[in-house]
Amino acid sequence: MSETLADWLARVLGSPADHLAGYERALTHGSQGAANYERLEFLGDRVLGLTIAEWLYERFPDEPEGKLSRRFNSLVTGQVCAEVAREIGVPAHLRLGKQARDDGAASSDNVLGDVMEALIGAHFRAHGFEPAKALVRRLWDSRIDAQASAPKHPKSALQEWAAANNRRPPEYALVERSGPGHAPRFKVLAKIGKLAEAEGEGSSKQEAETAAAAALLAAVS
Protein backbone atom coordinates (compact mmCIF):
# COMPACT_ATOMS: atom_id res chain seq x y z
CA MET A 1 0.00 0.00 0.00
CA SER A 2 1.43 3.38 -1.00
CA GLU A 3 2.08 5.99 1.67
CA THR A 4 -0.64 8.63 1.98
CA LEU A 5 0.23 12.30 1.64
CA ALA A 6 -0.55 12.93 5.32
CA ASP A 7 1.64 10.03 6.43
CA TRP A 8 4.49 11.09 4.16
CA LEU A 9 4.33 14.69 5.36
CA ALA A 10 4.27 13.59 9.01
CA ARG A 11 7.41 11.52 8.39
CA VAL A 12 9.21 14.31 6.50
CA LEU A 13 8.16 17.09 8.89
CA GLY A 14 8.65 15.04 12.03
CA SER A 15 5.14 15.81 13.28
CA PRO A 16 1.53 15.54 12.04
CA ALA A 17 0.93 17.87 9.09
CA ASP A 18 -1.57 20.59 9.98
CA HIS A 19 -3.11 22.76 7.25
CA LEU A 20 -2.85 19.96 4.70
CA ALA A 21 -4.31 22.15 1.93
CA GLY A 22 -1.21 24.35 1.95
CA TYR A 23 1.10 21.40 1.45
CA GLU A 24 -1.18 20.04 -1.28
CA ARG A 25 -0.89 23.35 -3.10
CA ALA A 26 2.90 23.26 -2.71
CA LEU A 27 2.90 19.94 -4.56
CA THR A 28 0.59 21.11 -7.36
CA HIS A 29 2.12 22.02 -10.73
CA GLY A 30 0.73 24.79 -12.93
CA SER A 31 -0.53 22.17 -15.38
CA GLN A 32 -3.18 21.34 -12.79
CA GLY A 33 -4.61 24.84 -12.63
CA ALA A 34 -4.14 28.28 -11.10
CA ALA A 35 -3.94 27.06 -7.48
CA ASN A 36 -0.36 25.83 -7.85
CA TYR A 37 2.96 26.08 -6.02
CA GLU A 38 4.27 29.30 -7.56
CA ARG A 39 3.29 31.76 -4.80
CA LEU A 40 4.47 29.40 -2.05
CA GLU A 41 7.73 28.87 -3.95
CA PHE A 42 8.28 32.64 -3.94
CA LEU A 43 7.82 32.68 -0.16
CA GLY A 44 9.82 29.52 0.53
CA ASP A 45 12.77 30.81 -1.47
CA ARG A 46 13.08 33.72 0.97
CA VAL A 47 12.71 31.51 4.03
CA LEU A 48 15.39 29.16 2.69
CA GLY A 49 17.72 32.05 1.89
CA LEU A 50 17.43 33.67 5.31
CA THR A 51 17.82 30.34 7.09
CA ILE A 52 20.96 29.38 5.17
CA ALA A 53 22.45 32.87 5.50
CA GLU A 54 21.95 32.95 9.27
CA TRP A 55 23.23 29.39 9.62
CA LEU A 56 26.44 30.14 7.70
CA TYR A 57 26.96 33.35 9.67
CA GLU A 58 26.82 31.32 12.90
CA ARG A 59 28.74 28.27 11.70
CA PHE A 60 31.69 30.14 10.17
CA PRO A 61 32.21 33.21 12.43
CA ASP A 62 35.69 34.01 11.09
CA GLU A 63 34.93 33.93 7.36
CA PRO A 64 34.57 37.14 5.32
CA GLU A 65 31.47 37.97 3.32
CA GLY A 66 32.94 36.69 0.05
CA LYS A 67 33.47 33.15 1.35
CA LEU A 68 30.07 33.11 3.03
CA SER A 69 28.51 34.17 -0.27
CA ARG A 70 30.21 31.32 -2.12
CA ARG A 71 28.95 28.84 0.44
CA PHE A 72 25.46 30.34 0.28
CA ASN A 73 25.27 30.30 -3.51
CA SER A 74 26.26 26.64 -3.65
CA LEU A 75 23.57 25.63 -1.13
CA VAL A 76 20.45 27.36 -2.46
CA THR A 77 20.61 26.44 -6.16
CA GLY A 78 17.64 24.85 -7.85
CA GLN A 79 19.73 21.73 -8.38
CA VAL A 80 20.40 21.34 -4.64
CA CYS A 81 16.73 21.96 -3.83
CA ALA A 82 15.81 19.29 -6.38
CA GLU A 83 18.28 16.84 -4.83
CA VAL A 84 16.71 17.40 -1.40
CA ALA A 85 13.25 16.94 -2.92
CA ARG A 86 14.25 13.59 -4.37
CA GLU A 87 15.82 12.47 -1.09
CA ILE A 88 12.58 13.03 0.83
CA GLY A 89 10.36 11.46 -1.85
CA VAL A 90 8.65 14.47 -3.42
CA PRO A 91 8.23 12.99 -6.96
CA ALA A 92 5.72 10.37 -5.75
CA HIS A 93 3.42 13.09 -4.40
CA LEU A 94 3.56 15.66 -7.22
CA ARG A 95 0.25 16.72 -8.72
CA LEU A 96 0.80 17.05 -12.44
CA GLY A 97 -1.34 17.36 -15.53
CA LYS A 98 -1.09 14.46 -17.96
CA GLN A 99 1.03 16.33 -20.50
CA ALA A 100 3.44 17.58 -17.86
CA ARG A 101 3.79 14.08 -16.44
CA ASP A 102 4.33 12.61 -19.91
CA ASP A 103 6.99 15.29 -20.55
CA GLY A 104 8.95 14.19 -17.48
CA ALA A 105 8.11 17.03 -15.08
CA ALA A 106 8.34 14.64 -12.13
CA SER A 107 12.08 14.31 -12.74
CA SER A 108 12.75 17.94 -13.72
CA ASP A 109 15.23 19.82 -11.53
CA ASN A 110 13.31 23.02 -12.24
CA VAL A 111 10.01 21.59 -11.03
CA LEU A 112 11.41 19.67 -8.06
CA GLY A 113 13.52 22.62 -6.92
CA ASP A 114 10.51 24.95 -7.02
CA VAL A 115 8.32 22.43 -5.19
CA MET A 116 10.92 21.99 -2.45
CA GLU A 117 10.90 25.74 -1.87
CA ALA A 118 7.10 25.75 -1.96
CA LEU A 119 6.98 23.07 0.74
CA ILE A 120 9.23 25.24 2.90
CA GLY A 121 6.87 28.15 2.25
CA ALA A 122 3.85 26.03 3.18
CA HIS A 123 5.52 24.93 6.41
CA PHE A 124 6.33 28.56 7.23
CA ARG A 125 2.71 29.54 6.62
CA ALA A 126 1.41 26.70 8.77
CA HIS A 127 3.81 26.94 11.70
CA GLY A 128 5.95 30.08 11.51
CA PHE A 129 9.63 30.77 10.97
CA GLU A 130 11.25 28.67 13.71
CA PRO A 131 9.72 25.32 12.61
CA ALA A 132 10.46 26.19 8.96
CA LYS A 133 14.05 27.00 9.87
CA ALA A 134 14.35 23.74 11.79
CA LEU A 135 13.08 21.82 8.76
CA VAL A 136 15.64 23.45 6.45
CA ARG A 137 18.47 22.82 8.90
CA ARG A 138 17.55 19.16 9.19
CA LEU A 139 17.26 18.63 5.42
CA TRP A 140 20.39 20.63 4.53
CA ASP A 141 22.54 19.57 7.49
CA SER A 142 24.78 17.10 5.65
CA ARG A 143 25.45 19.65 2.93
CA ILE A 144 26.60 22.30 5.37
CA ASP A 145 28.94 19.81 7.05
CA ALA A 146 30.27 18.61 3.69
CA GLN A 147 31.79 22.02 2.95
CA ALA A 148 35.30 21.78 4.39
CA SER A 149 36.12 25.09 2.74
CA ALA A 150 34.17 27.73 0.87
CA PRO A 151 33.61 26.36 -2.64
CA LYS A 152 34.74 28.48 -5.54
CA HIS A 153 32.26 28.81 -8.36
CA PRO A 154 33.59 27.11 -11.53
CA LYS A 155 33.11 30.25 -13.62
CA SER A 156 35.11 32.33 -11.13
CA ALA A 157 37.80 29.66 -10.90
CA LEU A 158 38.08 29.49 -14.70
CA GLN A 159 38.27 33.29 -14.94
CA GLU A 160 41.09 33.32 -12.37
CA TRP A 161 42.94 30.53 -14.19
CA ALA A 162 42.77 32.43 -17.47
CA ALA A 163 44.07 35.62 -15.87
CA ALA A 164 46.89 33.83 -14.04
CA ASN A 165 47.99 32.16 -17.28
CA ASN A 166 47.74 35.29 -19.45
CA ARG A 167 44.87 33.88 -21.46
CA ARG A 168 41.81 35.59 -22.87
CA PRO A 169 38.77 35.64 -20.56
CA PRO A 170 36.41 32.68 -20.98
CA GLU A 171 33.52 33.07 -23.43
CA TYR A 172 30.18 31.29 -23.27
CA ALA A 173 27.75 30.59 -26.10
CA LEU A 174 24.36 28.90 -26.02
CA VAL A 175 24.50 25.88 -28.33
CA GLU A 176 21.05 24.41 -27.89
CA ARG A 177 17.81 24.78 -25.96
CA SER A 178 15.46 21.80 -25.92
CA GLY A 179 12.66 20.24 -23.92
CA PRO A 180 9.21 21.52 -22.87
CA GLY A 181 8.71 24.85 -21.13
CA HIS A 182 8.51 23.37 -17.63
CA ALA A 183 11.57 21.16 -18.09
CA PRO A 184 14.00 22.89 -20.49
CA ARG A 185 17.52 21.69 -21.20
CA PHE A 186 20.35 24.00 -22.18
CA LYS A 187 23.71 23.20 -23.79
CA VAL A 188 26.46 25.81 -23.55
CA LEU A 189 29.94 25.98 -25.07
CA ALA A 190 32.73 27.54 -23.00
CA LYS A 191 36.05 28.43 -24.60
CA ILE A 192 39.28 30.29 -23.92
CA GLY A 193 40.39 31.74 -27.23
CA LYS A 194 41.76 28.95 -29.41
CA LEU A 195 43.31 27.13 -26.47
CA ALA A 196 40.44 24.83 -25.49
CA GLU A 197 36.69 24.49 -25.29
CA ALA A 198 34.14 22.31 -23.52
CA GLU A 199 30.38 21.88 -23.38
CA GLY A 200 28.05 21.65 -20.42
CA GLU A 201 24.35 20.96 -19.97
CA GLY A 202 21.79 21.97 -17.37
CA SER A 203 18.17 22.82 -16.66
CA SER A 204 18.97 26.55 -16.93
CA LYS A 205 21.43 28.57 -18.98
CA GLN A 206 23.33 29.48 -15.82
CA GLU A 207 23.56 25.84 -14.77
CA ALA A 208 24.81 24.86 -18.23
CA GLU A 209 27.44 27.62 -18.17
CA THR A 210 28.60 26.38 -14.77
CA ALA A 211 28.89 22.83 -16.05
CA ALA A 212 30.79 23.98 -19.14
CA ALA A 213 33.17 26.07 -17.03
CA ALA A 214 33.87 23.09 -14.75
CA ALA A 215 34.55 20.84 -17.75
CA LEU A 216 36.86 23.39 -19.37
CA LEU A 217 38.72 24.04 -16.12
CA ALA A 218 39.29 20.29 -15.76
CA ALA A 219 40.63 20.17 -19.30
CA VAL A 220 43.17 22.99 -18.96
CA SER A 221 44.36 22.60 -15.37
Side-chain angles (χ1 to χ4, degrees):
M1 182 177 178
S2 60
E3 190 175 28
T4 67
L5 176 61
D7 288 343
W8 173 71
L9 284 169
R11 179 169 58 80
V12 169
L13 302 176
S15 61
D18 299 324
H19 308 285
L20 192 61
Y23 297 105
E24 289 175 341
R25 181 164 185 163
L27 292 159
T28 301
H29 187 258
S31 60
Q32 284 283 67
N36 57 59
Y37 60 65
E38 291 176 358
R39 281 173 54 83
L40 285 169
E41 180 259 329
F42 166 82
L43 181 61
D45 175 69
R46 275 69 185 172
V47 175
L48 173 64
L50 177 57
T51 299
I52 296 295
E54 180 190 38
W55 196 2
L56 292 172
Y57 186 88
E58 295 170 352
R59 182 69 70 89
F60 305 102
D62 299 323
E63 287 196 348
E65 181 271 341
K67 287 188 176 181
L68 293 177
S69 292
R70 296 208 301 270
R71 291 185 186 274
F72 177 88
N73 291 334
S74 72
L75 290 165
V76 299
T77 65
Q79 184 177 359
V80 169
C81 289
E83 289 171 0
V84 174
R86 291 188 182 94
E87 288 170 6
I88 65 174
V90 164
H93 299 279
L94 281 176
R95 298 177 172 212
L96 301 165
K98 183 180 184 303
Q99 188 62 55
R101 188 171 296 279
D102 290 346
D103 286 341
S107 60
S108 163
D109 279 1
N110 286 347
V111 171
L112 291 174
D114 287 350
V115 169
M116 188 65 243
E117 291 180 337
L119 286 169
I120 294 168
H123 200 51
F124 169 77
R125 291 279 293 165
H127 299 285
F129 182 67
E130 290 302 320
K133 181 171 77 171
L135 177 65
V136 170
R137 287 198 175 211
R138 178 159 53 83
L139 296 180
W140 263 257
D141 188 59
S142 64
R143 288 170 169 80
I144 290 277
D145 289 338
Q147 289 191 342
S149 61
K152 184 169 290 187
H153 194 281
K155 290 182 69 175
S156 298
L158 183 61
Q159 181 89 13
E160 291 177 10
W161 183 93
N165 288 273
N166 298 314
R167 298 289 183 174
R168 294 177 58 182
E171 299 177 71
Y172 300 89
L174 180 63
V175 175
E176 181 180 88
R177 185 192 188 284
S178 59
H182 63 265
R185 295 295 298 174
F186 296 84
K187 182 183 292 186
V188 165
L189 175 72
K191 66 177 182 178
I192 297 178
K194 296 181 179 180
L195 174 68
E197 61 183 40
E199 289 187 347
E201 296 188 28
S203 56
S204 68
K205 185 179 178 183
Q206 183 179 26
E207 188 178 299
E209 286 182 352
T210 300
L216 182 51
L217 186 62
V220 298
S221 61

